[in-house]
Amino acid sequence: DSIIDGDGVEHRVDTIIFGTGFQVTDPPISHRVTGPDGVTLAERWNGSPRAHLGLAVSGFPNFFLLLGPNTGLGHNSVLLMIEAQVNYVMQALRHLRSNGRAALDPDPGAQARFIEEIDRGTAGSVWTAGGCVSWYLDSTGRNSTLWPGSVRAYQRRLARFDPTDYRLTVPTAEPEPVAA
């Protein structure tokens, strides 16, 4: 609910947007984003970025990534992926509001199943077999960058928000209004 500037002054905010640069498999911001359990995103990933549907990380409620793990493309415009993600996130937020929930957090099992599907999709590909060394592979040798299917397949996958893939949290108190 806040950021602390270089002078140590805390500023309450509604939204924090980070630009991470081109360190795809070890984005610098992953060392600064901390979940409610005190674990950083980098610690959770342990060298191999993983996110449910490439946009939400288990253990980081209401944290969404655009072009997160396994949503990069080598064959089409990533704008199509981003559009699908923004639409999905908007559906998730509408679901939270309409159901009186405070937060959603990807179920670890749902995230693990998605990652297994990704890994099956990249197995034996030029990116993971045959000794190709590229920025698509993380420090564990896993392709944590590219989406293994078509853009249309990803769009279909994100066409409808599925609340059963998430743990939903009931609000504990009324949030304080944030000054504009």
Side-chain angles (χ1 to χ4, degrees), residues 4-56:
I4 300 172
D5 67 21
D7 296 325
V9 177
E10 184 175 13
H11 303 274
R12 293 186 53 95
V13 297
D14 289 324
T15 304
I16 302 170
I17 300 173
F18 296 107
T20 61
F22 197 75
Q23 292 175 294
V24 219
T25 61
D26 186 24
I29 201 62
S30 68
H31 299 272
R32 301 182 69 101
V33 172
T34 304
D37 59 0
V39 174
T40 67
L41 198 53
E43 291 168 329
R44 179 66 43 91
W45 284 344
N46 195 27
S48 188
R50 297 160 191 259
H52 181 57
L53 302 175
L55 57 84

Side-chain angles (χ1 to χ4, degrees), residues 3 21 46 59 67 88 129 140 152 171:
I3 60 171
N46 195 27
L67 287 184
Y88 186 88
T140 70
R152 187 68 189 119

Side-chain angles (χ1 to χ4, degrees), residues 99-122:
N99 289 282
R101 303 300 179 164
L104 59 83
D105 186 10
D107 178 77
Q111 181 171 304
R113 287 187 297 278
F114 178 76
I115 298 306
E116 289 169 8
E117 180 183 328
I118 292 293
D119 290 347
R120 279 192 311 273
T122 60

Side-chain angles (χ1 to χ4, degrees), residues 27-95:
I29 201 62
S30 68
H31 299 272
R32 301 182 69 101
V33 172
T34 304
D37 59 0
V39 174
T40 67
L41 198 53
E43 291 168 329
R44 179 66 43 91
W45 284 344
N46 195 27
S48 188
R50 297 160 191 259
H52 181 57
L53 302 175
L55 57 84
V57 180
S58 183
F60 292 79
N62 289 352
F63 176 71
F64 299 101
L65 299 153
L66 298 182
L67 287 184
N70 294 110
T71 60
L73 298 174
H75 57 73
N76 211 319
S77 172
V78 293
L79 294 178
L80 300 169
M81 302 292 273
I82 293 170
E83 288 172 350
Q85 291 172 338
V86 168
N87 182 47
Y88 186 88
V89 170
M90 295 305 296
Q91 288 181 57
L93 295 175
R94 281 191 292 273
H95 181 84

